[in-house]
Amino acid sequence: MADDRVVQELRDFVEEREWGQFHSPENLAKSISIEAAELLECFQWQAGAPTERVVEELADVLTYCLLLADNLGVDADQIVLDKLQQTRAKYPVDRSRGRSAKYDQL
């Protein structure tokens, strides 16, 4: 599972503030999208964004992703590994190495 310490810290943070009432899967998914847009905004007008700002926005995205996974009762690490296995099958090394084409165009 994602570092249990991190997930527990997030749980404690939310519980101390009584924010769990606002953390429906729908609201957490919205928050992921909003924070991802803020991450993208770092690169809006320049290719190289300040690393510190990118890291802060990335932390926000990851925080909401971990909260959503915890809310759904799924193991964040395992769902990433499962998806990676599916993606490996779609993008065999011999056909996809060095190419950005979608799997159905390989």
Side-chain angles (χ1 to χ4, degrees):
M1 181 177 259
D3 186 336
D4 290 336
R5 183 178 56 91
V6 172
V7 172
Q8 190 57 55
E9 287 286 332
L10 289 171
R11 287 177 184 151
D12 293 345
F13 180 86
V14 169
E15 185 177 324
E16 291 164 354
R17 289 155 183 80
E18 297 180 354
W19 286 353
Q21 62 185 318
F22 308 116
H23 287 187
S24 65
E26 177 186 2
N27 286 345
L28 292 169
K30 289 175 189 176
S31 296
I32 291 167
S33 183
I34 291 164
E35 294 300 339
E38 290 179 14
L39 175 60
L40 185 58
E41 186 179 36
C42 294
F43 301 98
Q44 184 174 10
W45 304 115
Q46 60 193 14
T51 302
E52 184 177 323
R53 178 147 181 252
V54 170
V55 168
E56 287 177 9
E57 297 301 340
L58 180 58
D60 289 342
V61 172
L62 291 170
T63 294
Y64 282 115
C65 287
L66 290 173
L67 286 170
L68 180 56
D70 190 52
N71 183 288
L72 296 174
V74 298
D75 181 321
D77 288 347
Q78 190 59 55
I79 64 173
V80 169
L81 293 172
D82 292 347
K83 183 63 177 184
L84 182 58
Q85 184 177 359
Q86 292 173 8
T87 305
R88 278 192 171 112
K90 283 183 174 180
Y91 293 92
V93 173
D94 62 326
R95 294 196 335 241
S96 60
R97 180 179 283 121
R99 299 182 64 197
S100 63
K102 192 171 175 182
Y103 66 90
D104 60 355
Q105 297 176 356
L106 289 175

